[in-house]
Amino acid sequence: MYKIGELARLAEVTPDTIRYYEKQGMMSLGERSDAGYRLYGDHDLQRLRFIRYAKTIGFTLETINELLSIRIDPEHHTCQESKDIVDSRLAEVEHKLSELIRMRDSLQRLSAACCGGAHSSQSCSIIEALENGASGDIAKQVNSA
């Protein structure tokens, strides 16, 4: 059995994180010792690591709760449910990656269009492209600069 501090250390979280997950219903409250300390078992450690890893790969607490319910009651759930949750998150990540690639490409074009000189920024191609981008396509502004 672990006290909250020991559990937190083993799971690489803070005791406040454990308390938060308890309040969210994601973890059960530890049993009380005779001295009044909450005690946690290996199943609590495993659950905490599950939550922590799911967070590191971008799942929301709501989604983690769904996954936990699948884990807790596997007889009433299918593998397809877990896969659908993961595939949905994967689609979100793929979309964000596409957006980031477009942003990177635009930033590269902006940087390449600028001489980076020490002269006044009065005719800076980056500033002009950003100003014109509000009414048109930044990429066109940079490519024509």
Side-chain angles (χ1 to χ4, degrees), residues 87-104:
D87 287 347
S88 175
R89 180 67 186 138
L90 180 59
E92 291 170 10
V93 169
E94 292 288 346
H95 178 73
K96 284 182 181 181
L97 282 171
S98 296
E99 288 178 349
L100 287 171
I101 289 169
R102 281 192 300 275
M103 289 167 67
R104 180 203 61 201

Side-chain angles (χ1 to χ4, degrees), residues 3 33-34 62 70 76 79 105 131 139:
K3 291 181 185 175
S33 69
D34 292 339
E62 181 181 336
I70 293 169
H76 293 97
C79 244
D105 293 347
E131 285 175 349

Side-chain angles (χ1 to χ4, degrees), residues 12-57:
E12 299 178 14
V13 298
T14 65
D16 285 340
T17 298
I18 295 171
R19 289 183 194 101
Y20 178 77
Y21 292 155
E22 288 173 340
K23 287 178 187 171
Q24 298 302 310
M26 299 174 76
M27 291 195 56
S28 59
L29 297 173
E31 301 171 21
R32 292 279 182 184
S33 69
D34 292 339
Y37 293 107
R38 287 212 172 125
L39 299 175
Y40 302 87
D42 287 332
H43 65 284
D44 296 306
L45 178 59
Q46 185 178 11
R47 177 176 282 222
L48 194 51
R49 286 179 173 160
F50 180 100
I51 295 168
R52 188 173 151 267
Y53 181 65
K55 280 192 57 66
T56 64
I57 57 177

Side-chain angles (χ1 to χ4, degrees), residues 56-116:
T56 64
I57 57 177
F59 287 114
T60 64
L61 292 182
E62 181 181 336
T63 304
I64 294 169
N65 262 329
E66 289 178 52
L67 291 165
L68 282 170
S69 70
I70 293 169
R71 181 178 174 265
I72 291 167
D73 191 13
E75 297 298 317
H76 293 97
H77 294 280
T78 66
C79 244
Q80 186 63 48
E81 289 175 82
S82 299
K83 182 170 176 42
D84 289 346
I85 292 169
V86 168
D87 287 347
S88 175
R89 180 67 186 138
L90 180 59
E92 291 170 10
V93 169
E94 292 288 346
H95 178 73
K96 284 182 181 181
L97 282 171
S98 296
E99 288 178 349
L100 287 171
I101 289 169
R102 281 192 300 275
M103 289 167 67
R104 180 203 61 201
D105 293 347
S106 292
L107 290 168
Q108 285 175 337
R109 284 190 295 273
L110 282 171
S111 179
C114 182
C115 68

